[in-house]
Amino acid sequence: MKVRLAITVDPHVKAYVDQLVDSGEASSVSAAFNDAVVERMRRDRRARAAWNARVAQADPDRVARMMAHIDAQRTR
């Protein structure tokens, strides 16, 4: 089930979305915005997963040394 949403966009964004609809690249204005937000969600999730994978590989001792170094610089 979809929900109704009212948004305000810049004129050049509306012109672009209208162009997508007119050319058949998007079935509707709503579909164009929905696709864009879904793609943003996917990109954010991929970035978060990559970050979490990198964090899981971190050397805790090295991180502790780096944090101690940063803390020492802050107290100067």
Side-chain angles (χ1 to χ4, degrees):
M1 182 173 119
K2 297 201 178 211
V3 296
R4 181 173 289 278
L5 174 70
I7 62 172
T8 303
V9 299
D10 294 331
H12 68 280
V13 173
K14 174 148 180 4
Y16 180 73
V17 171
D18 288 343
Q19 178 185 340
L20 291 175
V21 173
D22 292 344
S23 69
E25 293 182 61
S27 59
S28 67
V29 171
S30 293
F33 279 98
N34 195 66
D35 291 349
V37 173
V38 167
E39 179 55 34
R40 173 70 185 261
M41 288 168 52
R42 288 182 185 138
R43 189 173 59 239
D44 288 350
R45 286 180 183 145
R46 282 192 305 267
R48 191 174 311 112
W51 175 261
N52 288 338
R54 186 76 172 146
V55 166
Q57 295 173 353
D59 176 2
D61 294 331
R62 182 172 184 222
V63 172
R65 287 191 309 271
M66 292 170 70
M67 293 303 293
H69 179 74
I70 291 168
D71 288 342
Q73 287 180 334
R74 268 196 312 209
T75 60
R76 288 183 186 177

